[in-house]
Amino acid sequence: MDIAFLLAVGASFIIAGFVKGVVGLGLPTVAMATLSLVMAPVQAAALLIVPSMVTNLWQLAAGPGLRALLRRLWPMLAAVVAGTLTGGALLPKDGGVWAVVALGAALMLYALAGLFSLQLRVPARHEAWLAPVVGAATGLVTAATGVFVMPAVPYLQGLGLARDALVQALGLAFTASTIALAASLALHGDFSLGAAGASAYALLPALAGMLAGQWLRGRISQELFRKCFFIGLFALGLHSALKPWLA
């Protein structure tokens, strides 16, 4: 790891941690978006494992009702793991330009959903069949892009959970996705001891950025920050999607 690489990783995770500190989510998404500017998505995905795991466990532990959420969400969580491992086995090991395009598309979809405050409504009677479908789709997107927000985040937001329960549910889903992504990368030789060490290094700037974001949270307009965040994320996604033709 040379100095330029360490600086790029550090800056990416400071920004990603800062966003998570302010709005409560977005660390893996922002890290993937920024790191993909300088490296392949599979390399970026390996780097985010440790920071994502630690910060999501932190978020998961802060909620009120883990056992009840596990009982409700386990079909989706199990499908996330299965979808990620299946996608990792079936998709090309090096997606090349199409992996970058897929990452850009996922980022743009997530950004548009946030910008326009798209809100699903998931009737309780449909959860039994919809949860595994959403989980499997999220797993496939995770395997292809390293981003595990679509369509899990809109689905969880549509369940009508209380705010604290929603934050904990997101932490639970992201933790399951991170574990599955780490397992998929390890099975294909993309999460070695060297990658684990680099990922552990990335935890320090991620936590520093997160603490700075939490300090600033009550001092700025969160709504304005969220809009700027999603606009920036859309721009990064557009750049990734067009990257093969810009080179």
Side-chain angles (χ1 to χ4, degrees):
M1 293 186 293
D2 59 25
I3 296 299
F5 176 84
L6 292 175
L7 289 175
V9 171
S12 293
F13 279 97
I14 287 174
I15 295 169
F18 181 79
V19 170
K20 186 175 180 67
V22 175
V23 302
L25 49 82
L27 186 148
T29 310
V30 174
M32 284 295 302
T34 53
L35 289 172
S36 68
L37 297 175
V38 295
M39 64 183 69
V42 68
Q43 294 174 302
L47 284 174
L48 68 83
I49 294 299
V50 174
S52 179
M53 180 64 69
V54 172
T55 55
N56 286 325
L57 286 174
W58 183 352
Q59 181 175 336
L60 178 61
L66 179 58
R67 186 173 298 178
L69 281 175
L70 279 171
R71 282 199 301 267
R72 184 174 184 179
L73 299 179
W74 75 263
M76 187 195 82
L77 300 176
V80 164
V81 175
T84 304
L85 294 176
T86 301
L90 297 180
L91 294 173
K93 183 177 179 181
D94 182 5
V97 296
W98 296 112
V100 177
V101 171
L103 172 61
L107 293 174
M108 287 191 293
L109 283 173
Y110 181 48
L112 289 173
L115 276 173
F116 293 102
S117 300
L118 299 181
Q119 184 71 51
L120 298 177
R121 290 289 183 269
V122 181
R125 66 182 182 278
H126 294 317
E127 282 187 50
W129 69 266
L130 192 55
V133 171
V134 168
T138 301
L140 291 174
V141 172
T142 299
T145 68
V147 173
F148 32 79
V149 293
M150 296 296 289
V153 170
Y155 171 79
L156 291 172
Q157 291 172 334
L159 293 180
L161 298 170
R163 184 181 183 278
D164 289 344
L166 176 59
V167 170
Q168 191 173 34
L170 290 170
L172 189 59
F174 295 161
T175 298
S177 292
T178 303
I179 293 172
L181 180 60
S184 179
L185 291 171
L187 286 171
H188 295 87
D190 294 316
F191 191 57
S192 61
L193 286 177
S199 183
Y201 155 76
L203 176 63
L204 297 177
L207 291 177
M210 191 171 173
L211 290 172
Q214 289 176 338
W215 176 83
L216 192 63
R217 179 185 294 175
R219 295 169 172 81
I220 62 173
S221 167
Q222 286 199 47
E223 185 59 29
L224 177 61
F225 186 89
R226 285 177 66 89
K227 287 182 179 179
C228 292
F229 161 57
F230 285 121
I231 290 171
L233 195 63
F234 183 87
L236 287 169
L238 182 61
H239 180 274
S240 291
L242 296 178
K243 192 173 183 179
W245 294 275
L246 295 175

